[in-house]
Protein backbone atom coordinates (compact mmCIF):
# COMPACT_ATOMS: atom_id res chain seq x y z
CA UNK A 1 0.00 0.00 0.00
CA UNK A 2 1.11 3.56 -0.63
CA UNK A 3 -0.39 7.05 -0.46
CA UNK A 4 -1.30 8.42 -3.88
CA UNK A 5 -2.93 11.71 -2.77
CA UNK A 6 -3.11 13.94 0.32
CA UNK A 7 -5.48 16.75 1.27
CA UNK A 8 -5.11 18.77 4.48
CA UNK A 9 -7.10 21.61 6.01
CA UNK A 10 -6.97 23.56 9.26
CA UNK A 11 -3.37 23.31 10.50
CA UNK A 12 -1.78 26.62 11.47
CA UNK A 13 1.30 26.01 9.32
CA UNK A 14 -0.67 24.26 6.59
CA UNK A 15 -4.11 25.87 6.34
CA UNK A 16 -4.93 24.22 3.03
CA UNK A 17 -2.90 21.78 0.96
CA UNK A 18 -3.44 19.11 -1.68
CA UNK A 19 -1.10 16.88 -3.65
CA UNK A 20 -1.99 14.02 -5.98
CA UNK A 21 -0.27 11.49 -8.24
CA UNK A 22 2.33 10.82 -5.57
CA UNK A 23 5.14 8.38 -6.39
CA UNK A 24 6.87 5.75 -4.28
CA UNK A 25 9.47 8.36 -3.28
CA UNK A 26 8.15 11.79 -2.30
CA UNK A 27 10.69 14.48 -1.47
CA UNK A 28 9.31 17.45 0.48
CA UNK A 29 11.06 20.81 0.55
CA UNK A 30 12.20 21.58 4.06
CA UNK A 31 12.75 21.33 6.93
CA UNK A 32 10.12 24.02 7.47
CA UNK A 33 6.98 24.55 9.56
CA UNK A 34 4.83 23.55 6.57
CA UNK A 35 6.81 20.35 5.94
CA UNK A 36 6.55 19.39 9.61
CA UNK A 37 2.82 20.14 9.58
CA UNK A 38 2.34 17.88 6.57
CA UNK A 39 4.01 15.05 8.45
CA UNK A 40 1.84 15.83 11.48
CA UNK A 41 -1.28 15.65 9.31
CA UNK A 42 -0.43 12.21 7.92
CA UNK A 43 0.47 10.97 11.40
CA UNK A 44 -2.84 12.33 12.75
CA UNK A 45 -4.70 10.33 10.08
CA UNK A 46 -3.12 7.06 11.18
CA UNK A 47 -3.41 8.10 14.83
CA UNK A 48 -7.17 8.08 14.34
CA UNK A 49 -6.98 4.32 13.72
CA UNK A 50 -5.59 3.15 17.08
CA UNK A 51 -4.99 4.40 20.61
CA UNK A 52 -1.22 3.62 20.63
CA UNK A 53 -0.73 5.52 17.34
CA UNK A 54 -2.74 8.45 18.65
CA UNK A 55 -0.69 8.49 21.85
CA UNK A 56 2.52 8.69 19.80
CA UNK A 57 1.03 11.60 17.85
CA UNK A 58 0.04 13.49 21.00
CA UNK A 59 3.57 13.10 22.36
CA UNK A 60 5.17 14.19 19.10
CA UNK A 61 3.15 17.40 18.79
CA UNK A 62 3.90 18.20 22.44
CA UNK A 63 0.35 18.26 23.78
CA UNK A 64 1.28 16.14 26.80
CA UNK A 65 3.15 16.94 29.97
CA UNK A 66 6.04 14.66 31.02
CA UNK A 67 4.73 11.22 31.99
CA UNK A 68 1.12 12.31 31.31
CA UNK A 69 -1.31 9.54 30.41
CA UNK A 70 -4.07 11.16 28.33
CA UNK A 71 -7.59 9.82 28.30
CA UNK A 72 -8.30 8.18 24.95
CA UNK A 73 -11.82 6.91 24.35
CA UNK A 74 -13.03 4.58 21.62
CA UNK A 75 -12.42 0.97 20.68
CA UNK A 76 -10.97 -0.16 18.37
CA UNK A 77 -10.66 3.31 16.81
CA UNK A 78 -10.30 6.43 19.03
CA UNK A 79 -13.17 8.91 19.04
CA UNK A 80 -11.86 11.32 21.69
CA UNK A 81 -8.64 12.26 23.47
CA UNK A 82 -8.13 14.68 26.34
CA UNK A 83 -5.08 16.12 28.11
CA UNK A 84 -4.27 18.61 30.86
CA UNK A 85 -2.56 21.56 29.15
CA UNK A 86 -5.00 24.07 27.61
CA UNK A 87 -2.43 26.23 25.79
CA UNK A 88 -0.38 23.79 23.72
CA UNK A 89 -3.12 23.04 21.19
CA UNK A 90 -3.74 26.69 20.33
CA UNK A 91 -0.54 26.97 18.30
CA UNK A 92 -1.48 24.02 16.09
CA UNK A 93 -4.63 25.27 14.40
CA UNK A 94 -5.61 28.27 12.29
CA UNK A 95 -6.55 31.11 14.64
CA UNK A 96 -10.29 31.16 15.24
CA UNK A 97 -10.80 27.63 13.94
CA UNK A 98 -10.79 24.37 15.85
CA UNK A 99 -11.22 21.75 13.16
CA UNK A 100 -8.63 19.91 11.12
CA UNK A 101 -9.18 17.39 8.37
CA UNK A 102 -6.93 14.95 6.53
CA UNK A 103 -7.85 12.92 3.45
CA UNK A 104 -5.62 10.21 2.03
CA UNK A 105 -6.08 8.27 -1.17
CA UNK A 106 -4.51 4.85 -0.90
CA UNK A 107 -3.29 2.60 -3.69
CA UNK A 108 -3.88 -0.93 -2.42
CA UNK A 109 -1.46 -3.83 -2.44
CA UNK A 110 -2.79 -7.36 -3.20
CA UNK A 111 -3.50 -8.31 0.46
CA UNK A 112 -5.52 -5.14 1.08
CA UNK A 113 -7.34 -5.53 -2.24
CA UNK A 114 -8.28 -9.09 -1.24
CA UNK A 115 -9.53 -7.80 2.11
CA UNK A 116 -12.10 -5.76 0.20
CA UNK A 117 -12.82 -8.21 -2.60
CA UNK A 118 -13.56 -10.99 -0.08
CA UNK A 119 -16.43 -8.82 1.19
CA UNK A 120 -17.91 -8.16 -2.24
CA UNK A 121 -20.46 -10.96 -1.90
CA UNK A 122 -21.89 -9.29 1.23
CA UNK A 123 -21.64 -5.75 -0.17
CA UNK A 124 -22.67 -5.69 -3.88
CA UNK A 125 -21.63 -2.06 -4.29
CA UNK A 126 -18.04 -3.12 -3.64
CA UNK A 127 -18.05 -5.18 -6.84
CA UNK A 128 -18.51 -2.16 -9.10
CA UNK A 129 -16.29 -0.01 -6.88
CA UNK A 130 -13.39 -2.45 -7.09
CA UNK A 131 -13.96 -2.82 -10.81
CA UNK A 132 -13.42 0.94 -11.15
CA UNK A 133 -9.87 0.54 -9.91
CA UNK A 134 -10.26 0.05 -6.17
CA UNK A 135 -8.48 3.23 -5.01
CA UNK A 136 -9.57 3.96 -1.44
CA UNK A 137 -10.15 7.53 -0.29
CA UNK A 138 -10.55 8.05 3.47
CA UNK A 139 -11.15 11.31 5.37
CA UNK A 140 -10.59 11.94 9.07
CA UNK A 141 -11.68 15.01 11.03
CA UNK A 142 -10.29 16.24 14.36
CA UNK A 143 -12.24 18.90 16.27
CA UNK A 144 -10.65 20.61 19.27
CA UNK A 145 -12.85 21.51 22.22
CA UNK A 146 -13.29 25.21 22.97
CA UNK A 147 -11.25 24.57 26.13
CA UNK A 148 -8.38 23.28 23.95
CA UNK A 149 -7.80 20.30 26.22
CA UNK A 150 -9.71 17.66 24.24
CA UNK A 151 -10.18 16.54 20.67
CA UNK A 152 -12.99 14.61 18.98
CA UNK A 153 -11.96 12.33 16.10
CA UNK A 154 -14.38 11.36 13.35
CA UNK A 155 -14.23 9.23 10.25
CA UNK A 156 -15.89 11.62 7.80
CA UNK A 157 -15.48 9.89 4.46
CA UNK A 158 -14.80 6.46 2.96
CA UNK A 159 -14.82 5.85 -0.79
CA UNK A 160 -13.79 2.89 -2.92
CA UNK A 161 -13.43 3.54 -6.63
CA UNK A 162 -15.50 6.70 -6.21
CA UNK A 163 -18.34 4.86 -4.42
CA UNK A 164 -19.17 6.37 -1.02
CA UNK A 165 -19.98 4.20 1.98
CA UNK A 166 -21.53 5.20 5.35
CA UNK A 167 -19.04 6.18 8.04
CA UNK A 168 -21.25 6.88 11.08
CA UNK A 169 -20.40 4.41 13.83
CA UNK A 170 -23.92 2.93 13.89
CA UNK A 171 -24.01 2.52 10.10
CA UNK A 172 -20.41 1.53 9.43
CA UNK A 173 -20.27 -1.97 7.88
CA UNK A 174 -18.21 -4.65 9.58
CA UNK A 175 -15.93 -5.00 6.56
CA UNK A 176 -14.97 -1.33 6.82
CA UNK A 177 -14.00 -1.74 10.47
CA UNK A 178 -11.85 -4.72 9.53
CA UNK A 179 -10.22 -2.81 6.67
CA UNK A 180 -9.38 0.16 8.89
CA UNK A 181 -7.81 -2.21 11.42
CA UNK A 182 -5.48 -3.53 8.69
CA UNK A 183 -4.14 0.00 8.13
CA UNK A 184 -3.03 0.56 11.73
CA UNK A 185 0.60 -0.54 11.26
CA UNK A 186 1.02 0.57 7.64
CA UNK A 187 2.60 3.97 8.48
CA UNK A 188 5.68 4.81 10.53
CA UNK A 189 7.33 8.16 11.21
CA UNK A 190 11.02 7.89 11.92
CA UNK A 191 12.15 9.21 15.26
CA UNK A 192 15.53 10.33 16.65
CA UNK A 193 18.22 7.72 17.10
CA UNK A 194 18.33 6.24 20.59
CA UNK A 195 21.48 4.53 21.83
CA UNK A 196 19.49 2.90 24.64
CA UNK A 197 16.34 1.74 22.83
CA UNK A 198 17.76 0.62 19.47
CA UNK A 199 19.82 -2.41 20.66
CA UNK A 200 16.79 -3.96 22.38
CA UNK A 201 14.64 -3.26 19.32
CA UNK A 202 17.15 -5.02 17.06
CA UNK A 203 17.59 -7.92 19.46
CA UNK A 204 13.84 -8.55 19.68
CA UNK A 205 13.55 -8.85 15.90
CA UNK A 206 16.73 -10.90 15.56
CA UNK A 207 15.36 -13.48 18.03
CA UNK A 208 11.91 -13.59 16.46
CA UNK A 209 11.18 -16.69 14.41
CA UNK A 210 8.65 -14.82 12.28
CA UNK A 211 10.65 -11.61 11.77
CA UNK A 212 14.25 -12.81 11.59
CA UNK A 213 14.30 -12.16 7.82
CA UNK A 214 13.67 -8.46 8.56
CA UNK A 215 16.75 -8.45 10.79
CA UNK A 216 18.83 -9.96 7.99
CA UNK A 217 17.60 -7.23 5.64
CA UNK A 218 18.62 -4.61 8.20
CA UNK A 219 22.09 -6.17 8.40
CA UNK A 220 22.47 -6.18 4.61
CA UNK A 221 21.50 -2.51 4.41
CA UNK A 222 24.24 -1.54 6.90
CA UNK A 223 26.99 -3.88 5.74
CA UNK A 224 28.46 -1.70 2.93
CA UNK A 225 29.09 1.16 5.37
CA UNK A 226 29.48 -0.44 8.79
CA UNK A 227 30.33 -4.06 8.12
CA UNK A 228 28.44 -6.85 9.91
CA UNK A 229 26.29 -5.30 12.65
CA UNK A 230 24.61 -7.47 15.25
CA UNK A 231 23.10 -7.24 18.72
CA UNK A 232 24.80 -8.76 21.74
CA UNK A 233 24.49 -8.68 25.51
CA UNK A 234 26.85 -6.18 27.11
CA UNK A 235 27.65 -5.39 30.75
CA UNK A 236 24.91 -6.48 33.11
CA UNK A 237 23.10 -8.29 30.30
CA UNK A 238 22.10 -5.02 28.66
CA UNK A 239 21.70 -5.24 24.84
CA UNK A 240 24.28 -3.45 22.74
CA UNK A 241 25.19 -3.25 19.05
CA UNK A 242 28.47 -4.50 17.63
CA UNK A 243 30.08 -3.74 14.29
CA UNK A 244 32.57 -6.42 13.27
CA UNK A 245 32.40 -7.63 16.88
CA UNK A 246 33.39 -4.25 18.32
CA UNK A 247 31.08 -1.56 19.75
CA UNK A 248 29.13 0.31 17.09
CA UNK A 249 29.67 3.56 19.04
CA UNK A 250 33.27 3.55 17.79
CA UNK A 251 31.90 4.74 14.43
CA UNK A 252 30.33 7.85 15.93
CA UNK A 253 26.82 9.34 16.05
CA UNK A 254 26.33 9.09 12.28
CA UNK A 255 26.60 5.29 12.50
CA UNK A 256 23.93 5.16 15.19
CA UNK A 257 21.69 7.43 13.12
CA UNK A 258 22.13 5.18 10.07
CA UNK A 259 21.41 2.03 12.07
CA UNK A 260 18.33 3.63 13.63
CA UNK A 261 16.88 4.83 10.33
CA UNK A 262 17.57 1.46 8.74
CA UNK A 263 15.67 -0.09 11.66
CA UNK A 264 12.72 2.20 10.93
CA UNK A 265 12.69 0.90 7.35
CA UNK A 266 13.57 -2.79 7.77
CA UNK A 267 12.44 -3.70 11.30
CA UNK A 268 9.13 -1.84 11.47
CA UNK A 269 6.25 -3.59 9.64
CA UNK A 270 5.05 -0.36 7.96
CA UNK A 271 4.60 0.15 4.21
CA UNK A 272 5.02 3.94 4.32
CA UNK A 273 7.91 5.65 6.10
CA UNK A 274 8.02 9.39 6.83
CA UNK A 275 11.51 10.80 7.44
CA UNK A 276 11.91 14.36 8.72
CA UNK A 277 15.14 15.81 7.30
CA UNK A 278 16.49 12.44 6.21
CA UNK A 279 19.42 11.26 4.07
CA UNK A 280 18.96 10.33 0.42
CA UNK A 281 20.03 6.70 0.87
CA UNK A 282 16.76 5.82 2.63
CA UNK A 283 15.02 6.09 -0.76
CA UNK A 284 16.69 2.77 -1.67
CA UNK A 285 14.30 1.07 0.76
CA UNK A 286 11.57 1.08 -1.94
CA UNK A 287 13.78 -0.46 -4.64
CA UNK A 288 13.92 -4.12 -5.66
CA UNK A 289 11.76 -7.16 -5.01
CA UNK A 290 12.98 -7.49 -1.41
CA UNK A 291 12.41 -3.82 -0.53
CA UNK A 292 10.93 -3.39 2.96
CA UNK A 293 8.83 -0.34 2.06
CA UNK A 294 6.24 0.68 -0.52
CA UNK A 295 6.80 4.42 -0.11
CA UNK A 296 9.17 6.94 1.47
CA UNK A 297 8.39 10.57 2.29
CA UNK A 298 11.65 12.46 2.85
CA UNK A 299 12.11 16.09 3.84
CA UNK A 300 15.19 17.68 2.29
CA UNK A 301 16.29 21.17 1.09
CA UNK A 302 15.88 20.30 -2.60
CA UNK A 303 12.56 18.47 -2.20
CA UNK A 304 10.23 18.50 -5.20
CA UNK A 305 6.98 18.94 -3.28
CA UNK A 306 6.81 22.37 -1.62
CA UNK A 307 3.97 22.65 0.93
CA UNK A 308 4.80 26.24 1.95
CA UNK A 309 1.59 28.35 1.92
CA UNK A 310 1.57 31.15 -0.63
CA UNK A 311 0.12 34.65 -0.30
CA UNK A 312 -2.70 33.85 -2.72
CA UNK A 313 -3.48 30.54 -1.00
CA UNK A 314 -1.97 27.18 -1.93
CA UNK A 315 -3.50 25.43 -4.92
CA UNK A 316 -3.78 21.66 -5.36
CA UNK A 317 -0.41 20.35 -6.44
CA UNK A 318 0.54 17.53 -8.73
CA UNK A 319 3.71 15.75 -7.68
CA UNK A 320 5.93 15.68 -10.78
CA UNK A 321 7.74 12.48 -9.89
CA UNK A 322 11.25 11.72 -8.65
CA UNK A 323 14.24 13.67 -9.80
CA UNK A 324 16.51 12.65 -12.62
Amino acid sequence: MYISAIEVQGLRDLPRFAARDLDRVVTIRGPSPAATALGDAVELFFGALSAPALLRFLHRVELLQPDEEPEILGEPHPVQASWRDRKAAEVQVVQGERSRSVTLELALDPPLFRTLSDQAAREPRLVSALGAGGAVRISVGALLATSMDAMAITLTGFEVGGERFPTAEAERPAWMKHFLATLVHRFHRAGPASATDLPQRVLDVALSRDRHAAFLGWQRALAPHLGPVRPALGPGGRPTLLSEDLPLRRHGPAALARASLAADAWLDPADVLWVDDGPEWIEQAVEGEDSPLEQVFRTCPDGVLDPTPRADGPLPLRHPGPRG
Side-chain angles (χ1 to χ4, degrees), residues 23 40 55 73 81 85-86 107 246 250 262 278:
D23 293 299
D40 291 347
L55 179 61
L73 304 178
D85 194 302
R86 296 191 173 192
L246 293 171
R250 295 169 58 248

Side-chain angles (χ1 to χ4, degrees), residues 244-261:
E244 297 180 326
D245 295 328
L246 293 171
L248 178 64
R249 65 171 299 277
R250 295 169 58 248
H251 294 271
L256 175 64
R258 178 179 283 269
S260 179
L261 185 54

Side-chain angles (χ1 to χ4, degrees), residues 95-257:
Q95 191 169 7
E97 298 184 13
R98 295 182 290 114
S99 64
R100 293 170 284 180
S101 66
V102 186
T103 298
L104 299 187
E105 186 173 293
L106 308 177
L108 305 185
D109 57 19
L112 280 178
F113 189 87
R114 279 197 304 273
T115 296
L116 290 181
S117 61
D118 288 346
Q119 302 297 323
R122 301 184 183 91
E123 181 65 76
R125 287 196 298 151
L126 269 179
V127 177
S128 59
L130 292 172
V136 175
R137 182 180 172 86
I138 304 173
S139 299
V140 168
L143 177 64
L144 286 164
T146 55
S147 57
M148 292 291 171
D149 60 356
M151 175 174 65
I153 301 171
T154 311
L155 181 67
T156 57
F158 193 106
E159 300 179 21
V160 181
E163 185 78 22
R164 295 183 62 87
F165 294 90
T167 57
E169 183 66 33
E171 302 174 0
R172 197 177 302 172
W175 63 262
M176 185 185 296
K177 298 176 183 179
H178 176 67
F179 180 83
L180 292 172
T182 64
L183 298 180
V184 168
H185 300 294
R186 296 289 185 127
F187 172 81
H188 179 70
R189 192 173 186 181
S194 171
T196 55
D197 297 338
L198 181 60
Q200 184 65 61
R201 182 182 178 191
V202 174
L203 182 62
D204 290 343
V205 178
L207 296 179
S208 169
R209 177 181 297 179
D210 297 331
R211 306 207 57 230
H212 186 73
F215 165 72
L216 296 178
W218 175 81
Q219 276 192 317
R220 288 193 296 269
L222 296 178
H225 303 276
L226 299 173
V229 181
R230 64 180 179 87
L233 296 181
R238 183 178 62 186
T240 188
L241 291 178
L242 304 180
S243 172
E244 297 180 326
D245 295 328
L246 293 171
L248 178 64
R249 65 171 299 277
R250 295 169 58 248
H251 294 271
L256 175 64

Side-chain angles (χ1 to χ4, degrees), residues 9-15 37 89-96 100 309:
Q9 289 189 10
L11 279 73
R12 179 181 290 270
D13 293 315
L14 203 63
E90 293 180 358
V91 302
Q92 299 182 16
V93 292
V94 177
Q95 191 169 7
R100 293 170 284 180

Side-chain angles (χ1 to χ4, degrees), residues 45-97:
F45 176 95
F46 286 93
L49 302 180
S50 77
L54 182 59
L55 179 61
R56 287 192 297 272
F57 170 79
L58 296 176
H59 275 293
R60 188 185 300 277
V61 299
E62 300 179 347
L63 287 177
L64 305 182
Q65 298 176 13
D67 302 321
E68 180 180 356
E69 292 291 338
E71 184 178 20
I72 298 177
L73 304 178
E75 183 65 35
H77 310 301
V79 297
Q80 181 177 308
S82 58
W83 51 88
R84 294 196 292 265
D85 194 302
R86 296 191 173 192
K87 292 293 184 181
E90 293 180 358
V91 302
Q92 299 182 16
V93 292
V94 177
Q95 191 169 7
E97 298 184 13

